Structure formats: C-alpha cells, structure tokens
Amino acid sequence: MSRQSIWATKVAALIQGGNSQAALAQIKVAPTVKDLQQLRSLLTTKGLLSKNRLVDEATADQIVALSAPRLHRSP
C-alpha cells in the first residue's frame, strides 16, 4: 500500500486555492510519474481536473515526458 505523495497534496492545494500558475510551475518540475498520477487522481476526485484545462494538459504532457526514455549525448 503506497502513501499519498506530499507533493501531490501541496500542488492540489495550490490549484484549489486558485493559484494555478504556481501549480503549473510545480508540475513542470514534478519529481516522478507516480507523483503526477497521484495528483491527477486527487484532482479528479475533487472535481478540479475538469475545471482546469491547462492543468489537465500540463500533467498529461509531463507524464509523457517523464515516461519517455531519456536521450543522452555522447561526449
């Protein structure tokens, strides 16, 4: 059983408080895909994900970006 991410609850509180710009900045530097998925599920249960189109798109984009294999440059 996994615990709820502290990061996800803090970002959800930002969105619930109406500070979506700060939430978008936090979403862009999200620690893991798991945290983003927990944030999406938290926002879905509170009904906030459907109200905030930008947050919905940003979380979906970051999940894709963090899930993709990392590209690296050779020295």
Side-chain angles (χ1 to χ4, degrees), residues 15-48:
I15 295 167
Q16 192 171 8
N19 197 350
S20 60
Q21 293 301 320
L24 288 172
Q26 285 297 311
I27 290 168
K28 289 181 182 178
V29 294
T32 64
V33 173
K34 182 180 174 184
D35 291 326
L36 286 167
Q37 291 170 341
Q38 286 180 354
L39 175 64
R40 285 185 64 87
S41 67
L42 226 160
L43 294 176
T44 302
T45 57
K46 291 183 179 184
L48 295 172

Side-chain angles (χ1 to χ4, degrees), residues 42-59:
L42 226 160
L43 294 176
T44 302
T45 57
K46 291 183 179 184
L48 295 172
L49 195 60
S50 60
K51 294 178 184 176
N52 296 321
R53 183 183 56 84
L54 291 175
V55 172
D56 184 21
E57 291 174 1
T59 54

